[in-house]
Structures are given as structure tokens and as C-alpha cells.
Amino acid sequence: MAYPDPAAPRLAALAALLADETRAVFCLALLDGRAWTAGELARHASVAPSTASEHLGKLVAGGLLAEERQGRHRYVRLAGEQVAHLVEELAGREAPGAPSAPRSLGASGADNALARGRTCYDHLAGRIGLAITDAMTGRGLLRQDTGFALTDAGLDWFGALGIALETGSRRPLVRGCLDWTERRPHLAGAAGAALCRHVLESGWCVRIGSGRAVRATPEGERALAARLGIEPATIR
């Protein structure tokens, strides 16, 4: 069958890859930016290893995941920032009239932790990510009026923190990424990734368990208040 737009089959194939719930669970888990083994993902999604392997093969073949092998182990990760951006943005969009699944107490607690703060691939999301983005915008470090862009003051701010920014790569220095819990864009791109690394390495935020959720430490609350005027209560 001939289509009027040659992109139609590619779009349909991509949509089909993400239309399966198990594959969607895998992609959301991999938003933590780390490489997972097939066995880890199988346990995470509560599926058999053979089922996980079949789904991972489709995601790798479709270009959404990249595969690495070390000895007997097979690792997979998201194929890049653009894939992470796509997954996060799609997760923030609900079908009209879609029913909400009942949540257990444990699941609700995990949802709350992710909403408070999490990594989205390699940058910060949730209330913490949005608080930083809003504070940078309010202080004239970041512009959002014509798309995301660092101002000269913003570049100086990163320099004062000792954060080196990649300026020669194909990756955008800054970009907006739609936050699926806050429904507004947070800071992504090379600057967002560098800031996330700094926040974690400096102990301003720590990971909760082995997932994507993060929380601000007392030291981090003081640092974010001093450098961006963020009220600690807004990120707890």
C-alpha cells in the first residue's frame, strides 16, 4: 500500500513499539540513565526472562534501546537523550477519558517520591527539577520566551559553580523537556545533565533506593536556597 507521506509507516512502527505495556515499563525504568541487564528488567516488569528478551530485541531493533555486552551479560540502555525526551513527554500525556488504575499504598508512595524529584535520563525532573528551572528563569539565568536558552548571566552562574558545559557537541546546550508530573518543561540538554551530575556529586541530592527518585539533602536545601532562592519546603 502506498502512503501519501513516506513517514507514516515509520511513525506507525514507533507507536507500535511503545504501545505494549511491558515495553513501556522497560523504557520508563531506563529513564534513570543507567544500563540494565535483561534479567533486572524482567524482574522489574514481573515477566519471564524469555518474554523480556523478546521485547528487548524489538526495542533494540527499533532503535529505541542500545545494547552492550560484557562477557555473559547483556546490558541495554536508552539509545540517547532524544529517546528519553520522547518517552518522558509521552508519559505526560494521557488519553482523553483514560481510567486511572487503583494504586496500592506502596505504589502511591513511590509515585509521590518520583513527583518530588527524579532523574529523567541524565537531568533533574519533578518538583526539584521544576523549582530549579523556575528559579533560574526568575533570576535571569535562563530564558523560556523563545525556547530554552542560557543567558550570559546563566553561563557565568555555571562557571561560578565550577560546572564545565559541553559547547562543541551536537547535543543542544539547553532544551525544555515536558515533565510528566508537573506538566511543564524542566531544564534538559547538556546544561541540565551537567547540573544534575553536580547536584548528585556534591551531595545536594541523593538517590532513593535503586530507582529514579531523588531527594534533596539538608546541605542541598541550603545550597539551592543560597544560590537560587529556592524555599526548602517547595522541594520536600
Side-chain angles (χ1 to χ4, degrees), residues 12-21 23-24 27 59 64 83 86-87 90:
L14 175 62
L17 277 175
L18 291 172
D20 180 88
E21 190 167 332
R23 293 196 289 272
C27 289
L59 290 168
L64 294 182
V83 175
L86 171 68
V87 172
L90 286 175

Side-chain angles (χ1 to χ4, degrees), residues 13-208:
L14 175 62
L17 277 175
L18 291 172
D20 180 88
E21 190 167 332
T22 297
R23 293 196 289 272
V25 168
F26 289 170
C27 289
L28 288 170
L30 290 166
L31 278 176
D32 67 0
R34 294 176 285 188
W36 291 49
T37 66
E40 288 170 337
L41 286 169
R43 290 189 293 273
H44 179 73
S46 299
V47 297
S50 58
T51 301
S53 182
E54 179 183 351
H55 284 303
L56 291 174
K58 292 179 179 179
L59 290 168
V60 170
L64 294 182
L65 301 187
E67 183 180 35
E68 303 170 9
R69 290 188 179 272
Q70 292 185 7
R72 296 184 299 105
H73 297 290
R74 173 196 189 193
Y75 292 88
V76 292
R77 63 172 69 246
L78 292 179
E81 186 201 15
Q82 287 186 328
V83 175
H85 183 76
L86 171 68
V87 172
E88 178 83 0
E89 184 159 338
L90 286 175
R93 301 181 184 275
E94 295 181 0
S100 298
R103 308 293 289 167
S104 68
L105 184 60
S108 295
D111 286 351
N112 290 336
L114 287 172
R116 177 181 58 203
R118 64 186 181 279
T119 53
C120 171
Y121 190 52
D122 60 1
H123 54 270
L124 292 168
R127 291 199 302 274
I128 291 175
L130 260 293
I132 290 173
T133 301
D134 289 345
M136 290 183 66
T137 303
R139 293 192 164 213
L141 309 177
L142 177 69
R143 294 183 59 181
Q144 297 190 45
D145 52 347
T146 56
F148 274 45
L150 284 180
T151 64
D152 290 340
L155 291 171
D156 291 342
W157 183 81
F158 274 91
L161 285 176
I163 302 176
L165 296 177
E166 300 177 20
T167 57
S169 69
R170 296 175 58 187
R171 184 179 190 183
L173 181 60
V174 292
R175 68 184 302 176
C177 180
L178 180 65
D179 197 290
W180 63 265
T181 51
E182 300 298 312
R183 305 300 174 89
R184 293 189 292 118
H186 55 244
L187 176 65
L195 182 58
C196 181
R197 283 195 302 273
H198 181 80
V199 164
L200 292 172
E201 291 172 359
S202 300
W204 294 4
C205 285
V206 292
R207 292 187 183 274
I208 302 173

Side-chain angles (χ1 to χ4, degrees), residues 128 199-200 202-207 214-225 232 235-236:
I128 291 175
V199 164
L200 292 172
S202 300
W204 294 4
C205 285
V206 292
R207 292 187 183 274
V214 300
R215 62 172 176 81
T217 63
E219 179 187 357
E221 290 181 353
R222 291 191 293 270
L224 291 172
I235 56 176
R236 288 177 180 164

Side-chain angles (χ1 to χ4, degrees), residues 2-16:
Y3 293 95
D5 190 326
R10 296 194 297 273
L11 178 59
L14 175 62

